[in-house]
Amino acid sequence: MADEYGATLWCGGHRPGRMHDTTAARVEGVDALLDAYPQMTVLVDAGYRGLAKTHSGQVVAPPLKLRPGAPPARQRAWEAERKQQPSQRISVEHAIAELKWWRQLQRFTGRRELLPETIDAVAGLVSNRMITW
C-alpha cells in the first residue's frame, strides 16, 4: 500500500504459495480496517474487485468491460472512467515498481525463509527514503 505521493505505507504479510489479492487483503485484516474506518477511500486494481463489491463507495476498482453493442454515449463514458482511475493510482504503481528495482528482490538467490525479511528491509528503506525527500 502506498499513499497518493508514492510513499510505501505497508508491504503486507508473507505467505508461501499463491493467494488471490482479495483473499490476502481479508487475511491481513484490510477488510476489517475498511469497516473500522468508513471515511477512508481506497483505489485498487482489478484484482480487488471483490473487495470493491463488499465496500462499495469506499473501495474503487476499475469499471467492468462493456458488452459488445453498448451505446456510443456509454462507451465514451466508460472510456473516460477507465482512464481516470489509473491516472490517480500511478503513484502507487510507481511505489510498487520501486520495490522491484532493488537487485536483492529482482534475483533473490538467498535462502527462501529469508525472503520475507529481505522484502521488509527493502520496503523500510524505500519508505524511509521517500520521507527524507
Side-chain angles (χ1 to χ4, degrees):
M1 294 179 100
D3 65 9
E4 65 270 17
Y5 306 109
T8 302
L9 301 175
W10 180 64
C11 198
H14 310 287
R15 290 186 171 63
R18 297 178 182 177
M19 184 180 290
H20 193 275
D21 292 344
T22 303
T23 305
R26 288 193 174 116
V27 168
E28 286 300 314
V30 173
D31 197 31
L33 285 173
L34 290 170
D35 290 334
Y37 298 97
Q39 72 278 11
M40 182 174 28
T41 303
V42 181
L43 300 175
V44 298
D45 62 15
Y48 294 93
R49 218 165 251 161
L51 201 59
K53 275 186 181 180
T54 59
H55 297 281
S56 61
Q58 191 177 9
V59 177
V60 182
L64 290 171
K65 192 172 182 179
L66 292 177
R67 292 185 178 187
R74 179 66 186 120
Q75 287 178 357
R76 285 190 297 275
W78 175 80
E79 191 69 32
E81 186 180 353
R82 187 180 69 84
K83 288 182 180 179
Q84 179 201 19
Q85 205 247 9
S87 67
Q88 294 171 338
R89 279 185 34 84
I90 194 67
S91 58
V92 175
E93 295 298 333
H94 284 270
I96 293 168
E98 189 170 13
L99 286 174
K100 294 177 181 180
W101 290 336
W102 285 69
R103 180 164 305 281
Q104 291 82 357
L105 297 181
Q106 286 176 357
R107 298 191 86 183
F108 186 76
T109 57
R111 294 192 331 238
R112 187 173 291 178
E113 60 270 11
L114 296 179
L115 182 60
E117 287 101 7
T118 305
I119 292 171
D120 290 341
V122 170
L125 291 170
V126 168
S127 179
N128 192 31
R129 190 173 80 181
M130 290 301 294
I131 291 170
T132 58
W133 276 8

